Amino acid sequence: SQRCLRLALFIGVGLNVGQQLSGINGVLSYAPLIFSQAGVSVPATATLLCGVVRILGALCGAALVDRLGRRTLMWSGFLVLCVTCFLTAASQICADSNADSSTDSSTDSITDSNGSCQGRWTGIV
């Protein structure tokens, strides 16, 4: 029926918009720069590792989709995304409070040629 098709279209478009708004395309486009600014000695290797992880994730998802179902995989991915975003925000708050209390915060911030802070890179393992 039309109502069922509209709901499927709405969900599909919503998922694609959410993926675009997550910013992953920008992160992947600037991965070598991000890794070099984060202090990784060989940014090209780290970028290659990102690609390998993406391929492995796609293969695992394809293998699990029949066993667990699309909805379960989508919600578990959403849960992991929420937890990692929360941990990133919490680590930024902790880094900001530690930087305010210390006398030299230049080791954990990224500055441009003018000396203005461009932000902190946070790694979550």
Side-chain angles (χ1 to χ4, degrees), residues 80-90 124:
V80 169
L81 175 72
C82 289
V83 168
T84 56
C85 284
F86 174 77
L87 291 174
T88 301
I124 295 179

Side-chain angles (χ1 to χ4, degrees), residues 9-45:
L9 177 67
F10 179 74
I11 291 172
V13 168
L15 287 172
N16 282 319
V17 167
Q19 181 182 15
Q20 292 299 315
L21 292 177
S22 73
I24 190 61
N25 293 333
V27 169
L28 293 175
S29 296
Y30 290 100
L33 178 64
I34 291 170
F35 285 126
S36 67
Q37 288 181 345
V40 176
S41 59
V42 185
T45 304

Side-chain angles (χ1 to χ4, degrees), residues 5 38 47 51 85 90 106:
L5 291 175
T47 303
C85 284
S106 62

Side-chain angles (χ1 to χ4, degrees), residues 55-72:
I55 290 171
L56 290 176
L59 292 175
C60 289
L64 290 174
V65 73
D66 289 333
R67 223 179 299 162
L68 299 177
R70 295 177 193 276
R71 178 175 279 190
T72 303

